[in-house]
Amino acid sequence: MLTRKIKLWDINAHITCRLCNGYLIDATTVTECLHTFCRSCLVKYLEENNTCPTCRIVIHQSHPLQYIGHDRTMQDIVYKLVPGLQEAEMKKQREFYHKLGMEVPGDIKGETCSTKQHLDSHRNGETKTDENSNKEASEEKQEEDNDYHRSDEQVSICLECNSSKLRGLKRKWIRCSAQATVLHLKKFIAKKLNLSSFNEGILGIMGRIYGESWTYYAMKRFLARTTHSSL
């Protein structure tokens, strides 16, 4: 079987943060466009901006930090590709907490121990048992199941087409996070109807037209205020 060696330099662009130009640490992905950055870099950037640093798409008009999430898969890839990066980062974090006289968080302790055990087992030529592998796979799957706003309040939405130019969806009802925006719904409809652009149609909700950054919560608060004021 032929193997091809790839230099780390050739894939650096895919595993580095565009904001600090360093390797990704605590990789965090923008759910709107799937671009990834270091968490600390992205959070600091979003304190004064609401767009993606790479493609400039608006993440959310007022709460962009609610639409980013930890990308464990990407971080695992970076740690496996860059020798010594994980150990160096864990050492920095431990030194940081010791310098402040604070107790090292349990997750850092646990990650350090698991890394050391993993390296020791490879040095000694040991392999993981099927039981341990299955247990780790189950834990990783459980963590993945908690991502992508699945723990948020869920809402059911009926999508009906009132235009003769567009065909309706086969399944009108969808279930999504209450934090989903109008833009998310427009992109979903465009994908289902094979539209070249998600701006071809106008999305009206409850008889009104809302901006692309509006969420279910924002609409609910708006309707509650307008209803109360009219009374």
Side-chain angles (χ1 to χ4, degrees):
M1 180 178 177
L2 296 176
T3 58
R4 179 188 174 192
K5 291 185 177 180
I6 300 176
K7 295 181 178 180
L8 186 60
W9 174 263
D10 294 332
I11 59 174
N12 265 349
H14 304 287
I15 58 175
T16 54
C17 172
R18 181 163 181 168
L19 294 171
C20 68
N21 295 321
Y23 289 116
L24 290 168
I25 298 297
D26 197 5
T28 301
T29 297
V30 178
T31 58
E32 189 65 46
C33 57
L34 301 182
H35 287 126
T36 305
F37 311 89
C38 298
R39 181 171 183 82
S40 59
C41 296
L42 184 57
V43 169
K44 184 177 181 180
Y45 172 85
L46 292 179
E47 288 178 354
E48 299 181 356
N49 304 273
N50 62 1
T51 59
C52 171
T54 298
C55 64
R56 302 302 176 185
I57 188 173
V58 176
I59 301 173
H60 190 272
Q61 291 288 358
S62 55
H63 303 292
L65 290 175
Q66 294 183 7
Y67 295 89
I68 62 175
H70 176 59
D71 195 332
R72 181 183 178 86
T73 301
M74 175 59 79
Q75 191 60 64
D76 287 344
I77 291 173
V78 175
Y79 280 155
K80 289 177 181 178
L81 289 175
V82 185
L85 180 64
Q86 184 174 16
E87 294 87 339
E89 181 60 25
M90 292 300 103
K91 182 180 179 181
K92 287 181 181 178
Q93 292 190 29
R94 290 197 305 273
E95 290 176 350
F96 172 78
Y97 284 104
H98 287 317
K99 184 177 179 179
L100 295 178
M102 300 171 62
E103 184 179 354
V104 180
D107 56 342
I108 297 179
K109 285 182 179 178
E111 195 165 349
T112 304
C113 292
S114 63
T115 302
K116 185 176 184 302
Q117 292 173 358
H118 177 72
L119 293 174
D120 290 343
S121 64
H122 276 278
R123 288 167 184 160
N124 297 331
E126 299 175 359
T127 57
K128 297 179 181 178
T129 62
D130 291 339
E131 182 178 355
N132 289 337
S133 298
N134 293 334
K135 183 178 180 181
E136 289 182 5
S138 176
E139 291 175 352
E140 289 180 1
K141 186 178 186 305
Q142 185 176 1
E143 289 180 0
E144 291 175 358
D145 288 341
N146 292 330
D147 291 339
Y148 305 110
H149 298 282
R150 292 177 184 172
S151 59
D152 294 344
E153 178 185 348
Q154 301 293 301
V155 293
S156 296
I157 300 176
C158 180
L159 300 173
E160 292 186 344
C161 180
N162 293 326
S163 173
S164 58
K165 297 181 180 179
L166 298 174
R167 60 182 175 85
L169 296 172
K170 291 182 179 180
R171 297 182 179 180
K172 296 182 180 180
W173 288 92
I174 64 168
R175 189 170 179 82
C176 61
S177 165
Q179 293 193 48
T181 64
V182 171
L183 181 59
H184 290 137
L185 296 178
K186 291 178 72 172
K187 286 186 174 182
F188 172 79
I189 295 172
K191 185 176 181 63
K192 287 295 183 181
L193 298 182
N194 295 320
L195 301 177
S196 58
S197 171
F198 55 82
N199 289 319
E200 290 185 15
I202 297 176
L203 185 62
I205 301 176
M206 292 177 284
R208 297 175 181 271
I209 305 299
Y210 296 93
E212 292 183 340
S213 64
W214 282 65
T215 64
Y216 167 77
Y217 289 129
M219 297 176 199
K220 190 175 180 180
R221 289 194 298 267
F222 174 76
L223 290 175
R225 288 199 301 266
T226 55
T227 302
H228 178 74
S229 60
S230 63
L231 293 177

